Amino acid sequence: MALLASQTLSLDLNVLDYGILAVYFALVVTIGLLAKRAIATSEDFFLSGRSLPAWVTGIAFVSANLGAIEILGMAANGAQYGMSTVHFYWIGAVPAMVFLGLVMMPFYYGSGVRSVPEYLRRRFNRPTHLFNALTFATSSVLIAGVNLFALGIVLQATLGWPLWAAIVVSALFVLVYITLGGLSGAIYNEVLQFFIIIAGLIPILVVGLKSVGGWSGLEKAVAKTDLGANSFSTWQGTGIPWSNALGDWVGIVFGLGFVLSFGYWTTNFAEVQRALSAKDMNAAQRTPLIGAFPKIFIPFLTIIPGLVALALVPKLGKSDSLPYNDAIPLMMNQLLPNGALGIAMAGLLAAFMAGMAANVSSFNTVFTYDIWQEYIRPGRPDGYYLRVGRVVTVLGVLIGIVTAFIASGYGNIMEYIQMLFSFFNAPLFATFIIAMFWKRVSPMSGIAGLAAGTAGAAAFHFWAFNLSYFYPGGVIDPAHATINAQMVNFYAAIMAFLVDAVVTVIVTYMGKPKPVEELAGLVWGIPDPSAPDPSTVPKPVWWQSPKLLGFGALALTAGLSLVFL
Amino acid sequence: MSNEESSTPESASSKLFDLRVLIGGLFTVYGVVLTIVGILASEAALAKAAGININLWMGLGMLALGVFFLFWWRLRPLQRDVPPSD
């Protein structure tokens, strides 16, 4: 039967598709080789010599987050939760990206820090710095490994490669282009990947919609599945008590939209690093703002194919052999002829490499500048740190490979470790926002607030198991299987934020503030005396205005939110 | 004026190549190949994609993007910012 045959993931690639893939991978390595010529200093390697134009850093900003786990995962969420999944983009990303560009970037870029942990060292003290640098470096290599493992699984399912070969070969490609080309190699590849990923996803959307009979056909088909007719409304069931799969509006707006989103987009160095590599302040500010526009439209390329997959394969997600995560590869198999299939496959593999490379290229920077240079071997000439950076990149990829193999044997352990690191991320935004706007905040309150907030998130996670409110229908499941994990995650973030804020304020009043001259350029209202006079900086032309871009992105998001209310 | 230590070499970031050539070249090549494949599309390929000649449309779209990048690169070549002499 044709229908049964098409439900396997094994893709029928022909010579044409392999040719498309070969050209793409040759170009990936070429970018690394060519970018190597532009590296003479450690800052060339770790921050592209702060020379890139805004359109490049802006696309890399969104692409660094457009890993394949994100694409496959959001299509899976689309099939599982329906249009509510757009909350991860319109509430859970765009406002934070605008805030980073308009409000926070002047502190990051203007103060000349080379990393997000370095900002914490200058604003607070070394313990705060070390706490953040270590947790960030560790979680980055682990996420790189998880990406690598997911890539291996997809190559195994679609091309029939052995898992170990898929892991090692793809890690080698990433290794080559970021060890040679540094951040420029990573960013240039991210920009290229962005266009290939989009080119691979658009045909799935177009052919998918046509084959279910257009938008109205999709609505009718999905209404017949378990997801139901409400799956096209984004806020349905988010009242209290909730029935939406993402929980109530408090968790979505404050937990996801405020704490988690702002924490990730404004303090995650894998993202901020892209803006720090921009050539001037205006380009740095525009980096997340330019990235916000594609981010607004990416859900149409992930969620709708997820819903189409549900309409065409109603058994999706109903059995272990057909998980929601297979939505995109299934649709590629079912809808794309050879040629388009090769492009989509190149896009998918590119996305896996993006997810890995962004993490390794931020890991090597934090490890070299913030751990090695700060605590282990300070005061060496610049060329020494450039060599260390290359060695650390190789080590980072190797740890990623080991992590991928651990994940293939002990999947549950990796899930627990990722949950552990989500506790460290939850309070970050509270510490940053208070420290940037209140000069009184004392050095010790940094580490105290972060540690307390992390503990708060962890404690809430375990407490929530016993709260009936977090179970659908308010009925506690003793095995905790039915608990709304997304909603617990959102509420734990709110808890982390509150605990961090309270502890930061208390510890601040117990200690002395930092001398004002040490805070120049790091805190609102204390300008850096050595910064260039604003009147001498040329005013950008009107379409380069950060305010115009930022408020334009917010208005567009608000408009689309009303359409899909 | 730079007052950095003499041991720090000069940044080589100005040697970084222009990415627009690469994107333009790749998408032009992919666009031409897919357009040809689309023109020669078999009945089976058309049926698989719900009757849309997706290779042809993708080929034309990618060709347009590739040509756009190549034109952009030719018309507005990279200008190295020359710092004002002081």
Side-chain angles (χ1 to χ4, degrees):
Chain A
M1 268 181 52
L3 195 67
L4 275 180
S6 63
Q7 284 175 13
T8 68
L9 289 183
S10 172
L11 297 180
D12 256 335
L13 298 192
N14 67 7
V15 181
L16 175 65
D17 301 310
Y18 278 111
I20 288 172
L21 285 177
V23 169
Y24 185 75
F25 277 82
L27 210 56
V28 163
V29 174
T30 307
I31 287 180
L33 288 168
L34 290 175
K36 183 172 185 290
R37 291 192 303 186
I39 294 173
T41 67
S42 69
E43 207 163 271
D44 289 345
F45 185 73
F46 293 122
L47 292 175
S48 300
R50 299 190 193 256
S51 66
L52 299 178
W55 72 270
V56 169
T57 55
I59 292 176
F61 187 90
V62 70
S63 196
N65 174 259
L66 200 58
I69 292 186
E70 162 88 7
I71 294 173
L72 299 186
M74 285 301 166
N77 287 343
Q80 198 172 356
Y81 307 140
M83 284 301 282
S84 299
T85 309
V86 295
H87 293 318
F88 286 104
Y89 296 84
W90 295 346
I91 282 205
V94 173
M97 292 163 92
V98 172
F99 189 79
L100 173 65
L102 293 184
V103 180
M104 289 174 75
M105 196 51 70
F107 299 111
Y108 282 138
Y109 197 90
S111 65
V113 294
R114 301 171 301 179
S115 71
V116 170
E118 188 171 313
Y119 176 86
L120 288 177
R121 178 172 62 76
R122 287 177 51 190
R123 176 63 187 83
F124 293 102
N125 53 13
R126 291 179 89 181
T128 312
H129 172 247
L130 190 60
F131 181 82
N132 182 248
L134 283 178
T135 51
F136 177 79
T138 318
S139 71
S140 299
V141 281
L142 289 179
I143 296 171
V146 170
N147 261 285
L148 198 52
F149 170 61
L151 167 58
I153 294 281
V154 165
L155 281 181
Q156 190 180 32
T158 54
L159 304 184
W161 288 27
L163 187 61
W164 67 268
I167 288 175
V168 172
V169 169
S170 27
L172 281 180
F173 271 99
V174 174
L175 179 73
V176 167
Y177 75 75
I178 55 182
T179 312
L180 294 175
L183 185 65
S184 305
I187 285 185
Y188 269 21
N189 264 309
E190 280 160 10
V191 176
L192 190 65
Q193 278 156 4
F194 173 81
F195 290 106
I196 286 288
I197 292 165
I198 300 298
L201 288 175
I202 287 177
I204 301 180
L205 174 72
V206 173
V207 178
L209 275 180
K210 172 97 189 282
S211 59
V212 293
W215 186 256
S216 59
L218 180 66
E219 283 183 325
K220 277 193 209 112
V222 170
K224 286 188 205 133
T225 66
D226 288 355
L227 201 53
N230 281 343
S231 50
F232 286 88
S233 152
T234 53
W235 289 101
Q236 194 86 34
T238 58
I240 298 173
W242 55 276
S243 59
N244 190 294
L246 295 181
D248 63 25
W249 64 272
V250 177
I252 293 174
V253 172
F254 294 105
L256 171 67
F258 185 60
V259 183
L260 286 177
S261 157
F262 280 69
Y264 175 79
W265 291 100
T266 69
T267 75
N268 188 299
F269 183 55
E271 293 299 333
V272 176
Q273 184 180 24
R274 268 81 200 141
L276 294 186
S277 70
K279 61 181 177 169
D280 54 34
M281 174 69 90
N282 174 265
Q285 284 199 284
R286 281 191 293 140
T287 295
L289 305 175
I290 290 173
F293 286 91
K295 192 76 186 166
I296 293 171
F297 293 101
I298 288 171
F300 294 113
L301 295 176
T302 55
I303 298 172
I304 295 175
L307 287 169
V308 168
L310 187 70
L312 291 179
V313 186
K315 281 189 286 184
L316 185 67
K318 294 283 177 289
S319 72
D320 285 348
S321 60
L322 205 61
Y324 286 115
N325 263 327
D326 286 350
I328 294 270
L330 261 179
M331 290 301 99
M332 284 165 56
N333 201 7
Q334 201 156 330
L335 303 174
L336 298 185
N338 293 108
L341 188 60
I343 301 283
M345 193 63 193
L348 196 59
L349 297 184
F352 275 110
M353 292 195 297
M356 175 161 188
N359 282 297
V360 175
S361 63
S362 52
F363 158 78
N364 63 12
T365 307
V366 166
F367 189 90
T368 306
Y369 279 154
D370 291 292
I371 298 174
W372 198 260
Q373 186 178 30
E374 183 69 24
Y375 298 99
I376 301 174
R377 292 278 183 277
R380 300 290 177 94
D382 186 74
Y384 170 80
Y385 297 110
L386 174 57
R387 284 194 301 279
V388 169
R390 287 214 159 97
V391 173
V392 169
T393 307
V394 176
L395 287 177
V397 172
L398 289 179
I399 300 172
I401 293 177
V402 172
T403 309
F405 280 110
I406 296 176
S408 71
Y410 309 95
N412 287 339
I413 293 186
M414 292 311 302
E415 273 175 33
Y416 291 129
I417 292 177
Q418 281 182 295
M419 189 169 92
L420 179 70
F421 279 102
S422 75
F423 300 154
F424 287 103
N425 292 335
L428 276 170
F429 186 62
T431 292
F432 272 86
I433 196 71
I434 298 173
M436 270 184 183
F437 288 92
W438 192 27
K439 60 187 181 203
R440 174 80 177 74
V441 171
S442 74
M444 275 319 279
S445 67
I447 178 81
L450 287 179
T454 303
F460 187 86
H461 251 271
F462 293 103
W463 185 38
F465 281 137
N466 304 315
L467 299 176
S468 61
Y469 184 65
F470 291 99
Y471 291 85
V475 183
I476 293 187
D477 166 24
H480 311 316
T482 64
I483 193 165
N484 189 332
Q486 300 278 14
M487 190 184 171
V488 171
N489 202 19
F490 299 159
Y491 270 80
I494 297 175
M495 181 61 82
F497 185 92
L498 295 176
V499 171
D500 181 315
V502 169
V503 170
T504 301
V505 171
I506 293 173
V507 175
T508 285
Y509 279 113
M510 284 159 45
K512 278 200 188 113
K514 241 179 144 90
V516 169
E517 56 275 16
E518 286 179 27
L519 297 178
L522 300 172
V523 180
W524 189 264
I526 310 179
D528 184 355
S530 61
D533 182 359
S535 59
T536 66
V537 177
K539 215 171 145 42
V541 290
W542 66 270
W543 53 269
Q544 292 181 337
S545 155
K547 282 204 176 77
L548 177 76
L549 284 168
F551 287 106
L554 289 180
L556 189 56
T557 309
L560 283 169
S561 301
L562 286 177
V563 172
F564 288 92
L565 204 65
Chain B
M1 285 294 287
S2 128
N3 52 1
E4 284 175 21
E5 290 171 47
S6 55
S7 65
T8 306
E10 284 282 307
S11 165
S13 61
S14 61
K15 290 188 192 150
L16 194 59
F17 66 99
D18 193 331
L19 183 60
R20 291 175 294 181
V21 194
L22 261 176
I23 299 179
L26 179 73
F27 274 75
T28 304
V29 169
Y30 276 175
V32 168
V33 170
L34 284 188
T35 305
I36 295 171
V37 173
I39 292 170
L40 306 174
S42 65
E43 285 301 317
L46 289 179
K48 191 177 184 189
I52 303 177
N53 193 341
I54 195 69
N55 278 331
L56 181 64
W57 289 110
M58 260 180 97
L60 293 175
M62 292 177 91
L63 187 60
L65 186 70
V67 169
F68 164 79
F69 269 101
L70 290 178
F71 263 103
W72 185 16
W73 165 65
R74 290 294 293 177
L75 296 179
R76 307 229 7 216
L78 270 191
Q79 291 163 350
R80 297 294 169 202
D81 292 340
V82 183
S85 52
D86 49 0

